[in-house]
Amino acid sequence: MRLVPGLSGGVGEGVGAAAGSRAPDAPRGPSAHAHLLFVLGEYALDEGTGAWTQTIVDALGLVGFEEKAARKALSRSAADGVVVSRRVGRRARWQLTPSGRETLLAAQERLFAPGPERDWDGEWLLLLTSVPESDRRLRHRLRTSLGWAGFGSYGPGLWISPHPSRADEAREVVRSLGDQVEGTLLHARLDDSAERHRLVAQAWDIAELDARYRAFIERFAAGRPHSPGEALTELLHLNYQWRRLLLADPGLPPTLLPPDWSGERARRLLLDRRANWREIGRTWWEQREAASGVAQPQE
């Protein structure tokens, strides 16, 4: 099961304090909660030692979130069972729970996969769903979670995926939404190449997705951070923008993609920039951890 709260999109975006207040119908902005999970995934997952509150607050401040938003993200992650706090004098140190660690490992496996799936036997997974027409929030949650699982909409109540191995994930999506949502899984084959591409064109907007990958490449290929803090800032932007792309990308087998597909170039750029900026940003992280370990603020 790989639905990741805050990373899979199953939880809606919030607004960073840098964006100010938001009208009820205004577009949602970047989520402090999602950025927090990226911070923990990059610097608290491997070491297993956790982080001080102030280190986390300062890290989220690099991308525009005020202290209140950062602390709220921590509280929300604790309520989700992702992290737990441990008092050290007047300070709090946050550590991943076993389930939180499993959650972030699953997210990293999906987000930072070393390469695309190469083998495909032509089998499709179909999901027939029934959702109350009046419950827009439930329908949005279904659409977002199935999108993360690699499904495209082929019409009202019909979802398709070239990943039969994700049947259990689809079942879990339906189960997690409660008794109001019903789902039936079917397996099918379509051997005609032209028909396959027609099906893909109807279920997903591949041209629009390709344009977004090209914009990602243009944005991050030129990135040259000049300090550890700038490297960590760029790393968080990189991860967040990649997450947005994967929420929209079904991960189609290469045989179903156009020959000039830019997604693979974007993935290689992601892996290169992430490895580089992560190591440079570690200097900032370790310095903040050391300073926060000496300071004695009331948390």
Side-chain angles (χ1 to χ4, degrees):
M1 173 54 190
R2 301 185 185 181
L3 294 181
V4 183
L7 291 179
S8 69
V11 178
E13 300 286 25
V15 176
S21 60
R22 179 173 63 89
D25 58 347
R28 292 173 178 247
S31 162
H33 184 234
H35 281 84
L36 168 63
L37 295 182
F38 280 127
V39 167
L40 295 175
E42 296 293 12
Y43 296 115
L45 184 58
D46 294 340
E47 292 80 358
T49 57
W52 298 109
T53 302
Q54 194 59 48
T55 303
I56 294 172
V57 167
D58 289 347
L60 294 183
L62 291 174
V63 287
F65 295 103
E66 292 180 354
E67 181 174 348
K68 181 179 179 181
R71 291 180 178 273
K72 183 176 180 180
L74 277 168
S75 297
R76 177 176 171 184
S77 294
D80 288 340
V82 175
V83 295
V84 62
S85 65
R86 175 172 59 89
R87 302 298 301 185
V88 181
R90 300 171 63 195
R91 293 161 295 159
R93 190 160 184 83
W94 296 86
Q95 291 182 300
L96 292 169
T97 64
S99 62
R101 181 177 177 80
E102 181 181 348
T103 289
L104 292 187
L105 285 172
Q108 293 206 348
E109 183 180 348
R110 178 68 63 85
L111 288 167
F112 308 121
E117 297 183 23
R118 293 295 180 186
D119 297 327
W120 185 57
D121 62 3
E123 185 176 356
W124 294 86
L125 183 64
L126 279 62
L127 175 63
L128 307 177
T129 61
S130 174
V131 186
E133 185 68 32
S134 60
D135 197 331
R136 295 179 58 189
R137 185 172 182 273
L138 197 60
R139 298 172 73 85
H140 172 74
R141 289 176 59 195
L142 176 69
R143 180 173 63 253
T144 305
S145 296
L146 287 178
W148 174 255
F151 282 80
S153 175
Y154 197 67
L158 175 58
W159 301 85
I160 63 171
S161 169
H163 306 292
S165 63
R166 296 182 186 173
D168 287 344
E169 190 169 349
R171 292 189 186 96
E172 179 61 20
V173 168
V174 173
R175 185 205 62 76
S176 69
L177 297 178
D179 295 338
Q180 288 185 293
V181 179
E182 297 179 352
T184 301
L185 285 170
L186 303 170
H187 292 261
R189 292 191 60 87
L190 180 60
D191 294 324
D192 184 276
S193 177
E195 283 297 300
R196 284 177 177 176
H197 284 86
R198 184 186 62 80
L199 185 151
V200 167
Q202 184 167 336
W204 296 281
D205 190 343
I206 298 301
E208 191 273 340
L209 184 58
D210 185 73
R212 290 177 60 182
Y213 273 121
R214 292 177 188 275
F216 178 90
I217 293 170
E218 183 177 358
R219 161 66 176 83
F220 292 105
R224 298 291 186 274
H226 295 97
S227 69
E230 287 184 10
L232 178 52
T233 302
E234 281 292 271
L235 174 66
L236 294 179
H237 287 314
L238 178 84
N239 287 353
Y240 184 76
Q241 293 303 323
W242 184 252
R243 165 190 176 267
R244 293 187 65 196
L245 281 168
L246 288 200
L247 284 173
D249 189 343
L252 297 175
T255 186
L256 297 177
L257 293 169
D260 59 345
W261 176 243
S262 60
E264 178 59 13
R265 296 203 314 276
R267 184 193 63 80
R268 291 196 298 267
L269 176 67
L270 165 85
L271 297 178
D272 175 77
R273 293 295 189 265
R274 177 180 179 242
N276 186 25
W277 294 344
R278 185 185 188 211
E279 288 310 305
I280 298 173
R282 189 181 301 278
T283 299
W284 182 97
W285 180 265
E286 291 175 349
Q287 289 174 346
R288 283 299 192 280
E289 276 287 89
S292 297
V294 172
Q296 291 287 329
Q298 177 65 46
E299 297 183 354

